Amino acid sequence: MPTNVYRVQGPEGTVPYQQYLIERNNNKLEEIATSLMKDVRCDGRDISAHRNLCIKTGIVTQAKGSAYLECGSTKLICSVFDPKEVPNKVEYAKTGELQCEFKFATFSCRQRRTYTRDSEERQLCNELRRALEPAICRGEFANFEIHINVLVLENDGSVLAAAITAAGLALMDGCIPMYDVIVATSLGIYKNKILVDPTYDEETLCSSTIDNGENRGTVMLAYMKNLQQITEFAQNGSMDVNMFPEYVQILTNHNCKLYKLVISAARKDVIEHFENENE
């Protein structure tokens, strides 16, 4: 990729400032781990509480549908574009294709991201596509493809779950036929304690090295409430198989609560649209 001549280049031999924050970050993780043993989270939430949400649709005028979502300090934008015919398609496809792009802004993470796509973004892109495919009526777009773009403005944990929820809102805003509204929630597991909607520091703690067979990891579940169907399930870490029914039930219950919030936001946008037309 060519060098950006408009960007001020740092002098040779400079040290990234993140190197000076390693000790500080380690101390912060130790404080979070100590407080979790007392069932207290760093942001004052209960271990089973979800962060506050801010939802806004129709913010990207060039897209057919779009949504902006804030989940705590996690902020992202999702855009959905008009279905287009698949280029250079030889065989006729009865179902439409879904093209997803998942990108972190260069300033979204604590360590600066590159302009090119990395392995993490490719993995998140594939998981996003697998979660959305069962929710879209792809039979209505034979031999066509739908483009969905997600841009993360700030990453403070649970970014995949927030992206799936925002994509469902953007699809509704773009009037794309769907079987049901799709939402997603994630949780972290640290020493048998289940943390709903973990922050970036809590995810880092849950993904740390496992000692003495402790249960640690993160889980994400995408869900359609009316159909009672799980569209995507992602798990990282090492957990006891006997915990599986417990955290699936917890994620399902929180998805049902999140579904009501999403439907309420969509209903409010529809009412505002017709009120503006009448004026």
Side-chain angles (χ1 to χ4, degrees):
M1 190 171 186
T3 305
N4 189 350
V5 297
Y6 298 100
R7 186 181 298 276
V8 177
Q9 303 296 326
E12 296 182 1
T14 56
V15 179
Y17 73 91
Q18 289 89 358
Q19 298 294 328
Y20 299 100
L21 300 178
I22 294 178
E23 183 177 355
R24 180 181 176 183
N25 291 336
N26 291 337
N27 293 336
K28 185 176 182 181
L29 292 179
E30 291 178 1
E31 294 176 359
I32 295 175
T34 303
S35 61
L36 287 178
M37 293 296 99
K38 303 176 184 179
D39 293 339
V40 178
R41 302 177 76 167
C42 57
D43 53 3
R45 286 183 295 153
D46 185 73
I47 59 174
S48 61
H50 200 286
R51 288 178 291 182
N52 294 330
L53 288 178
C54 175
I55 298 171
K56 180 65 177 177
T57 58
I59 62 170
V60 181
T61 57
Q62 295 85 353
K64 183 176 179 61
S66 59
Y68 171 78
L69 187 142
E70 284 187 17
C71 183
S73 296
T74 298
K75 305 176 181 67
L76 55 85
I77 297 175
C78 180
S79 304
V80 176
F81 296 89
D82 289 305
K84 297 181 180 179
E85 189 173 358
V86 180
N88 302 325
K89 187 74 172 180
V90 178
E91 297 181 357
Y92 180 80
K94 295 182 179 180
T95 58
E97 298 180 1
L98 199 61
Q99 299 293 335
C100 297
E101 181 179 354
F102 196 106
K103 191 75 182 73
F104 287 97
T106 56
F107 52 84
S108 61
C109 301
R110 296 180 181 178
Q111 187 169 359
R112 188 172 181 84
R113 309 289 296 219
T114 60
Y115 291 97
T116 57
R117 294 178 61 189
D118 55 20
S119 58
E120 181 184 4
E121 291 173 337
R122 293 189 184 94
Q123 179 182 356
L124 291 173
C125 180
N126 292 332
E127 292 176 349
L128 176 66
R129 189 189 72 255
R130 290 197 300 265
L132 296 177
E133 281 181 346
I136 300 175
C137 302
R138 294 189 296 152
E140 300 289 335
F141 308 100
N143 219 44
F144 278 72
E145 62 182 6
I146 302 173
H147 288 267
I148 300 176
N149 296 339
V150 174
L151 177 63
V152 180
L153 303 178
E154 185 175 353
N155 179 16
D156 190 33
S158 305
V159 66
L160 178 59
I164 294 173
T165 303
L169 282 164
L171 289 167
M172 284 194 298
D173 184 59
C175 300
I176 302 297
M178 301 175 65
Y179 294 106
D180 194 8
V181 178
I182 182 171
V183 293
T185 308
S186 62
L187 59 79
I189 300 175
Y190 178 73
K191 293 186 177 180
N192 297 329
K193 292 186 179 295
I194 299 178
L195 312 175
V196 177
D197 190 24
T199 62
Y200 182 84
D201 291 326
E202 291 172 345
E203 284 185 341
T204 303
L205 188 64
C206 294
S207 302
S208 58
T209 305
I210 301 171
D211 299 326
N212 302 324
E214 296 175 350
N215 293 315
R216 294 191 186 185
T218 57
V219 182
M220 190 283 304
L221 185 142
Y223 188 70
M224 292 189 293
K225 180 178 180 295
N226 290 334
L227 299 180
Q228 298 183 357
Q229 178 180 350
I230 297 175
T231 62
E232 176 65 7
F233 181 85
Q235 173 180 332
N236 296 315
S238 177
M239 286 157 273
D240 188 359
V241 67
N242 295 325
M243 294 185 65
F244 180 83
E246 180 181 0
Y247 58 66
V248 168
Q249 186 61 45
I250 292 174
L251 287 171
T252 302
N253 293 338
H254 278 274
N255 279 330
C256 291
K257 296 178 182 178
L258 185 59
Y259 175 88
K260 296 179 181 179
L261 295 176
V262 171
I263 290 297
S264 177
R267 186 183 297 113
K268 182 179 179 181
D269 290 338
V270 172
I271 293 174
E272 290 180 355
H273 174 75
F274 284 106
E275 288 179 350
N276 293 334
E277 282 191 349
N278 292 333
E279 292 177 356

